[in-house]
Amino acid sequence: MAGAAVPVDAPRSAPGGRLGRLLDSSRRGPKGVVLRVTAMAVAALAVGWIHRVNDPGVLCPMRAITGIPCPLCGGTTVFIEMGSGHPVRAVLANPVALAGVVGIAVAPLGAGGRWWALRPRTRAWILGGALVASELWQLARLGLLRV
């Protein structure tokens, strides 16, 4: 029947061919890590190049309006510094964001499964603690918190 609506709960098929196999393989195993790290490296190089060509200034809306950084401030700087070949500066910009990126990169090796195996409350405490630590780091990094 032409024009028939597809039920909302109908299973969606993955894209076929090479792209479908590539996307499916990115979910697990060493090939998934290579694909994720490659995509992150390409993004980092692109962001680093764009930043060198045209510095957009402060990208964080909270910091631009209030002058106070959010816990994720420095996340873009992590990519800019990595793409520019400055890994130490990337770590200093936001170690929590960098740890998150590494976690996402190695998730296909099984770390993702261990994360989701944790109780939701435990995951919430870990994420909350990471955000608090990141905010304190940003305040100290930008000279708003004297240690």
Side-chain angles (χ1 to χ4, degrees):
M1 172 190 281
V6 177
V8 174
D9 58 347
R12 295 180 184 208
S13 60
R18 285 185 151 177
L19 179 61
R21 287 190 302 275
L22 181 67
L23 292 174
D24 187 50
S25 69
S26 70
R27 294 187 185 132
R28 60 192 168 279
K31 190 175 188 179
V33 174
V34 169
L35 289 170
R36 288 175 184 217
V37 169
T38 301
M40 289 175 186
V42 168
L45 289 170
V47 169
W49 179 78
I50 289 168
H51 189 268
R52 274 193 308 276
V53 171
N54 182 13
D55 185 357
V58 175
L59 298 176
C60 176
M62 183 174 161
R63 184 171 164 207
I65 292 169
T66 66
I68 299 172
C70 74
L72 301 177
C73 272
T76 304
T77 306
V78 168
F79 275 101
I80 291 169
E81 295 298 350
M82 287 300 275
S84 299
H86 303 112
V88 173
R89 290 184 193 169
V91 171
L92 294 175
N94 192 331
V96 174
L98 188 59
V101 168
V102 170
I104 289 170
V106 299
L109 295 178
R114 287 189 287 276
W115 170 256
W116 291 111
L118 295 173
R119 293 186 344 216
R121 185 178 174 128
T122 303
R123 289 194 311 261
W125 274 103
I126 291 170
L127 288 175
L131 288 174
V132 167
S134 183
E135 179 65 15
L136 292 173
W137 178 265
Q138 294 307 315
L139 291 172
R141 177 175 80 99
L142 297 172
L144 299 172
L145 176 70
R146 304 287 179 210
V147 245

